[in-house]
Amino acid sequence: MKISIPNKYSRGLLIGLMVVHVLGTLFAYLVYIKLSSLGDGYNPASFENIKTIYGYHKGQSTLLVWGIYFFLGSILPGFLAPMSLGLVVAILIWYAFRDVYMYINRELFWICNLFPHFLVWSGASSKEQVLILCSIIVINFAVKRSFTEKNLDISLIFVLTALSLIFIIRPNYFVMYFAIFTTALFSPWLQKSVSGKLSVGVWALFYSLLTIGVVAYLALTSTVTSEDVVKFMLRIEYSFHAYNNAGSNRYNIQWNEVSDFLYNSFWAIPQGFIGPTLLEGISKPMFFLAFLEGIFFITILGYLFFELLKLSIKSRILRLYILPYFFACFIIVFVSYPYLMFNVGSALRYKQSIHPILIFYPLLVLAYYRANHLMKNKIQKKIPTES
């Protein structure tokens, strides 16, 4: 189904998104960087030094992102380089939502786009900015393919390129994006053969057995031992605590056994999405503002997930996309949560990499469902035309 809105809505949406993302970049480099830190974000003033980086032991993802900003920095001076990518992010969000903008809750849409740290990291030179850009490309393809049965065309090349970049830069988050990509890619066939036959209970049983089977296989074949898990845990801890000058590090966390991984997940997963704790917020004014933002973020996230869950119960077809999405998100967030636990600043930053799939993807699914529902029931509001 082709859904469209009048040009004045589309033009206003685009201008609004571009303005807020320009302001996000300006805020990041003129205000935020003086009050806090952009972590290991790529300083625009040092783009010309990219060649010296190759002489040191750096990760493949770091070299790739440095190369991107070196190229942009050779054309655009200062923070105009990350600002240009911030504008691309704005255009991609507009392109993803323009067809269903009039069917969406406008207040909710703008709340999801105006989280301060999302604007900072989508406008600052960093791995997060590149990931946000790639992520929006993937979720746009996934939703439009699922709801409008969009034919495969040359745009698939851009989607595959975006997936490849996500895999290189943040392989731990790749599975979530790959899950929605594959279900969308094969949606025309899956809808005919699977979705109408399986209930929510069958889907839940399937994913439960799949999880148990994978864990049992890894345990029985010694592919992953408890020692491997502990080494993984200690490696993550060291990657944060090695920097003694990091003012927002968290210490004295019990983190020596496999059981600690499970125990800490109960508090660290929600806390990772929030950022600072209340006590950390009271100790630092900047952290308190981030704490309030985090509370708001996790509230919006909970609302969107609750609405998606209701949709999966109501629609046999949509549960084909929603339940695998939930499953992938749960597994990857569970495995990756330590990256959000040991440092408040890193938590605020890293969660922006999955902002598109945790926030924008549910928002798009809900918007397309509402648009389809209104179209099918012929209660679409009369759309004013431009004079």
Side-chain angles (χ1 to χ4, degrees), residues 17-38:
L17 287 169
M18 293 179 72
V19 168
V20 297
H21 279 273
V22 167
L23 293 176
T25 299
L26 293 176
F27 179 78
Y29 286 102
L30 300 180
V31 180
Y32 188 86
I33 199 171
K34 296 178 181 179
L35 301 174
S36 185
S37 170
L38 290 178

Side-chain angles (χ1 to χ4, degrees), residues 130-312:
V130 178
L131 281 167
I132 290 169
L133 191 154
C134 294
S135 302
I136 298 169
I137 293 175
V138 176
I139 67 171
N140 174 66
F141 167 83
V143 176
K144 289 183 178 177
R145 172 76 172 168
S146 302
F147 278 90
T148 66
E149 296 185 1
K150 173 181 170 63
N151 293 327
L152 299 178
D153 53 30
I154 195 171
S155 65
L156 184 62
I157 297 175
F158 295 100
V159 179
L160 294 174
T161 301
L163 278 171
S164 300
L165 289 174
I166 293 172
F167 180 75
I168 294 171
I169 298 173
R170 287 279 188 266
N172 53 317
Y173 294 148
F174 170 78
V175 173
M176 290 188 287
Y177 291 99
F178 187 71
I180 65 170
F181 168 76
T182 51
T183 53
L185 182 65
F186 299 108
S187 61
W189 302 279
L190 292 174
Q191 287 184 15
K192 296 177 182 178
S193 59
V194 177
S195 62
K197 301 176 182 179
L198 302 181
S199 65
V200 174
V202 173
W203 279 106
L205 178 62
F206 169 76
Y207 288 119
S208 299
L209 292 176
L210 177 63
T211 303
I212 294 171
V214 171
V215 172
Y217 172 80
L218 294 176
L220 293 174
T221 61
S222 299
T223 303
V224 177
T225 64
S226 59
E227 291 182 0
D228 294 325
V229 176
V230 171
K231 288 179 181 178
F232 168 73
M233 294 165 58
L234 296 178
R235 186 167 62 249
I236 295 176
E237 182 182 27
Y238 177 78
S239 67
F240 291 102
H241 290 174
Y243 299 95
N244 296 322
N245 59 342
S248 58
N249 270 349
R250 292 186 180 123
Y251 300 94
N252 301 319
I253 297 175
Q254 185 68 26
W255 195 246
N256 299 308
E257 305 291 340
V258 175
S259 58
D260 295 331
F261 191 99
L262 178 62
Y263 170 76
N264 285 296
S265 67
F266 290 106
W267 70 267
I269 290 177
Q271 192 61 59
F273 287 129
I274 295 172
T277 64
L278 177 58
L279 291 178
E280 290 167 339
I282 293 173
S283 66
K284 294 183 180 180
M286 278 293 296
F287 279 178
F288 186 72
L289 294 176
F291 170 76
L292 294 179
E293 178 191 346
I295 292 294
F296 207 38
F297 176 88
I298 204 167
T299 301
I300 295 295
L301 180 64
Y303 169 77
L304 291 172
F305 273 34
F306 178 69
E307 291 297 314
L308 274 190
L309 181 60
K310 289 199 303 183
L311 206 56
S312 69

Side-chain angles (χ1 to χ4, degrees), residues 82-104:
M83 182 180 287
S84 66
L85 285 187
L87 288 172
V88 174
V89 170
I91 293 170
L92 289 173
I93 295 174
W94 163 78
Y95 183 73
F97 283 93
R98 63 175 183 172
D99 288 342
V100 290
Y101 184 56
M102 73 165 296
Y103 303 98
I104 207 168

Side-chain angles (χ1 to χ4, degrees), residues 6-9 11 383-387:
N7 289 334
K8 71 174 183 179
Y9 287 92
R11 185 165 59 245
I383 302 174
T385 57
E386 284 190 297
S387 56

